[in-house]
Amino acid sequence: MKSLIFIFRVLQGHMIRISEDPLSTAWVNGDPRRVAYPTDSQGYFCGQKGTPNENKSILFYFNLLTCTSPSVVVNLQCPTTQICVSKCPERFLTYMEIQFKYKNDSEYWTYYSQFCRTTFLKPAETLSQVLLDNDCPSAIYPSKPFLQRCFPDFSTKNGTLTVGNKTVFDDGSGKTRNAAELRRAANGINKALDARAIGVKVFEDYAMTWYWILIGLTIAMFLSWMFVMLLRFTAGLLFWIFTFGVIGIIAYGIWRCYLEYSRLQEQPSSRLNAYTIGIQTDISMYFRLKQTWFALMIILCLLELFIILMLIFLRNRIRISIALLKEGSKAIGYLPSTLIYPALTFFFLSVCISYWAVVALYLATSGAPIYKVIAPQGHCEHENKTCDPVGFNTTEIAKACPGAQCHFAFYGGKSLYHQYITTFQLLNLFVFLWLINFVIALGQCALAGAFASYYWALKKPDDIPPYPLFTAFGRAIRYHTGSLAFGSLILAIIQMFRLILEYLDKRLQEAQSNISKFLKCCLRCCFWCLEKAVKFLNRNAYVMMAIYGKNFCKSARDAFNLLMRNILKIAVMDRVTDFVLILGKILVAGCIGVLAFLLFTERLPVIIEGPTSLNYYWVPLLTVIIGSYIIAHGFFSVYAMCIETIFICFLEDLERNDGSAEKPYYMSQSLMKIMNKRNAETKKQ
């Protein structure tokens, strides 16, 4: 919050001179009701209390057929008059019909006039005058409210699309239209209508399965905890099973390539080669050549040899990595409160996201109604210019562009503040990225402090200080806020550049040359790599901050130097850790997914009776799988931070201690055994 106000103050003092604070002005001028309520052509809300439209909560379009105009794409606004009504029309009527029927029954005009912009005692004006003044629609159709707007009541009868049980109707200007034309005009809306029907079914499925979903997520939480706890026993087994599985698969590939090569060698077509058949679009043609299988066999043999040599020469580093994985599992066993911290991070992130969304909403809705010229035919030199709806039909624009209308477009203004709303939105987005990265950094620093206190306890668990996570969190808030904010700022700047690059790519996609596309790809790749590198360096800098209490720059320098001195250990450690964590997430999400699939498809009636008659069984199934994966990710993110902290502490322990009584090693006995190290007391014994 303070950083946001600070940035706005700087902008106020150095870029623009605004009498009020921009954030305060947004809160004063912004009105979220402009998003919640539909707005008519005059810029008034439908259904707003205390206004003439209080009892008129639905928006009605005079001529929905004009929504196929090209101006809809440009202005995102249907070029027809829009008014607020209390209910949607329920029958077919045209203005010309009303003029004849009114003479016999005034009820027709009473019903029709509620869809007019102004009140008339009788339909005395001609149709051309009514259309020119935009007082009444030329025709009304049976409609239903959806999202507080009136849309045609489409239905299918014997495979034919109808509107109010009619396939054709009069549009009020003497032309006969069919339901398909009206459907095309409201095509996007009808997709939304279809989505509503699907949404109702999805809601029904959630109503029937919500408790099963909660049970599945609870089981996923328990499995994630069990997986982390059992890694002290199974880390090595999982790694070696995977490694030998890869070696076996590659060996099978070599054998398969040799069989195919031998089979093709005996065939008459074995003399064919790549030069003979030339360049082929059908890739399968190349698999009919013995040279292809021979080349694949050589590649797989080299890959197999490379993996075996890596395992031989890096066996000690792999043993260290597996021992650190087991040590991380022990650390979490002694500090179980760390597994709850992701919930606190989720709460902080929710607050940041909510704050950003509210500020963005108030900024977007601050201002006065702006009206623009809209031409139904899309051919007018004044189109998209600002206008005044009062007396628009008597202006030169109306004479130069027959049929043009002055409609509400958006909320804005010409003041200095309104000119910089886009700038404020960008600042709001930047501060949002900054806050998000700060919350994540705070969690990493707090967890690193807790796990560092575990590692640097000489006698575990007796020497572990009480409430290590709470103490580390308080220490990070009190002493390292500035350092965390600085590290988050660097990352936020890089992410902001990436977002701007993506935005420009979307806006200029059609106007790009091959060179610009190549440069864009290079920039995207560079910024992606830079972001990953900064995230990795920041994490290790936060660990060094938690250990020594230095500022960000010194901690980042020390962490970088330490990592560069042990680059090979880091490479092996990262790969082993990534494999175990990915395998754990897949195992948790996969086990819960299989159980949920059997339950929601009613394939476990003997064991347990699950929900029946689901519309889309895959909806709760995907919810359970994705939720289980997110829960597993939350648990394993704590475990990953634990491993990274213990690894940094392990490297520091090796460099600054020698096992003497004055400088004893703090690592576990299993790590000492692998490293062939012993403390002085152990040596005496």
Side-chain angles (χ1 to χ4, degrees), residues 242-257 296-308:
F242 174 79
T243 302
F244 287 118
V246 170
I247 292 175
I249 291 173
I250 295 176
Y252 172 77
I254 295 172
W255 177 71
R256 184 68 181 177
C257 290
L296 289 174
M297 184 174 62
I298 295 299
I299 293 173
L300 291 177
C301 287
L302 292 175
L303 181 60
E304 185 89 332
L305 180 63
F306 174 77
I307 292 176
I308 293 174

Side-chain angles (χ1 to χ4, degrees), residues 43-109:
Y44 299 118
F45 299 136
C46 296
Q48 182 182 359
K49 294 183 179 180
T51 66
N53 292 332
E54 181 175 358
N55 297 321
K56 300 177 179 180
S57 59
I58 307 172
L59 189 68
F60 172 73
Y61 297 89
F62 270 24
N63 187 4
L64 199 62
L65 291 167
T66 59
C67 293
T68 57
S69 168
S71 63
V72 177
V73 179
V74 178
N75 302 307
L76 300 176
Q77 187 85 345
C78 188
T80 186
T81 303
Q82 303 162 30
I83 64 171
C84 299
V85 296
S86 58
K87 64 178 182 178
C88 297
E90 300 170 346
R91 64 181 85 166
F92 285 101
L93 280 175
T94 66
Y95 184 79
M96 296 181 68
E97 280 184 275
I98 292 299
Q99 287 184 311
F100 290 106
K101 293 182 177 181
Y102 167 75
K103 299 176 182 179
N104 299 324
D105 189 354
S106 61
E107 187 273 334
Y108 283 98
W109 174 246

Side-chain angles (χ1 to χ4, degrees), residues 598-612:
L598 296 175
L599 180 68
F600 294 143
T601 54
E602 303 179 52
R603 301 189 182 187
L604 293 175
V606 178
I607 302 175
I608 187 172
E609 185 177 353
T612 58

Side-chain angles (χ1 to χ4, degrees), residues 124-163:
E125 294 185 355
T126 62
L127 177 62
S128 58
Q129 186 63 37
V130 167
L131 295 179
L132 181 63
D133 296 336
N134 292 318
D135 287 330
C136 292
S138 60
I140 58 176
Y141 324 110
S143 305
K144 286 185 177 181
F146 175 60
L147 297 177
Q148 294 183 276
R149 290 162 175 81
C150 290
F151 293 113
D153 183 13
F154 291 110
S155 61
T156 304
K157 188 175 182 179
N158 296 326
T160 304
L161 184 68
T162 62
V163 178

